Amino acid sequence: MLIGNLRHRPVRRLVQLFGGLLLYGASMALMVRSELGLNPWDVFHQGVSRLTGLSMGTVVIAVGLLVLLAWIPLRQRPGIGTLANAVVVGLAVDLTLALLPPVEPLAAQIALLTAGIVGNGMATALYLGARLGPGPRDGLMTGFTARRPGRSLRLVRTVMEVVVLAVGALLGGKLGVGTIAYALAIGPLAQFFLPRFDVPEPQPGTTTPRIEPAPTA
């Protein structure tokens, strides 16, 4: 059974979900074209892409589907957004990379990196705010934490991202100043955008849902 109740504001939530996923893939491609460094998972994706000769978007899709298989022993339930995330982001990455040529001036690279990080923060808030299921990689972290109550989500996330970052760098993925900038900025950006895009479920026992911002803490 898929998580995510589409009876409440289905058009808004689906548009927001797919818009967020398309923006997420496009923002990843902007960071790739900046040549200034990627987030940990994308360092891994790019490393695998260079090793196998597959497009980065294809690798993103393949890794997402493999990660979903790891949900089975964790007893995690995917949502509509989870399955869409596994496919749409990769397609958007390849499409944007095909349309956007490499750039050389440092100022242009910095502009692409900045737009990519800000766009990624907005995209994260869009698809999370739709409340139709987490992405495969986020669900893996939360699922593992749920099965190991003594482990903090922060610790599990850090360990996983350090591992994929190290493996990706060894495979030739781009590690750089953009990796650090992403790590510092993505949390505050997602926290800033999420209350603006959150679509809360109706309150029990009411006919008209109360619209409240998601907690930012």
Side-chain angles (χ1 to χ4, degrees):
M1 181 179 177
L2 298 178
I3 61 173
N5 179 8
L6 271 176
R7 289 176 295 180
H8 172 59
R9 306 184 70 178
V11 175
R12 156 76 187 270
R13 293 167 75 193
L14 285 172
V15 169
Q16 184 170 310
L17 168 67
F18 284 97
L21 296 179
L22 290 170
L23 178 59
Y24 197 97
S27 66
M28 286 170 57
L30 293 179
M31 293 184 66
V32 171
R33 286 293 187 239
S34 79
E35 293 287 343
L36 294 176
L38 304 170
N39 73 63
W41 276 101
D42 288 340
V43 172
F44 177 72
H45 295 143
Q46 189 179 59
V48 174
S49 174
R50 290 178 173 177
L51 176 69
T52 62
L54 297 172
S55 72
M56 187 165 173
T58 300
V59 172
V60 170
I61 293 171
V63 171
L65 294 176
L66 287 174
V67 169
L68 277 178
L69 292 179
W71 282 35
I72 297 173
L74 296 176
R75 299 179 183 177
Q76 288 281 88
R77 288 190 302 159
I80 297 170
T82 308
L83 303 179
N85 185 303
V87 177
V88 175
V89 171
L91 296 177
V93 170
D94 277 352
L95 177 60
T96 306
L97 288 175
L99 296 174
L100 182 65
V103 297
E104 293 185 2
L106 180 59
Q109 292 176 326
I110 293 174
L112 287 180
L113 175 65
T114 303
I117 294 175
V118 174
N120 201 272
M122 181 182 291
T124 299
L126 280 166
Y127 83 76
L128 288 180
R131 299 190 183 222
L132 292 173
R137 297 153 189 81
D138 289 334
L140 178 65
M141 297 172 194
T142 56
F144 187 86
T145 304
R147 299 289 289 176
R148 302 287 192 278
R151 309 283 175 84
S152 73
L153 179 61
R154 184 185 299 273
L155 175 62
V156 171
R157 183 182 188 114
T158 299
V159 170
M160 286 187 177
E161 294 198 347
V162 167
V163 170
V164 296
L165 177 64
V167 173
L170 289 173
L171 294 176
K174 187 66 175 180
L175 176 65
V177 65
T179 309
I180 300 172
Y182 184 92
L184 293 174
I186 193 62
L189 283 169
Q191 184 174 329
F192 172 78
F193 285 117
L194 187 56
R196 292 157 174 78
F197 297 120
D198 187 46
V199 186
E201 297 285 350
Q203 297 295 316
T206 63
T207 57
T208 303
R210 293 192 306 165
I211 306 301
E212 299 176 349
T216 57

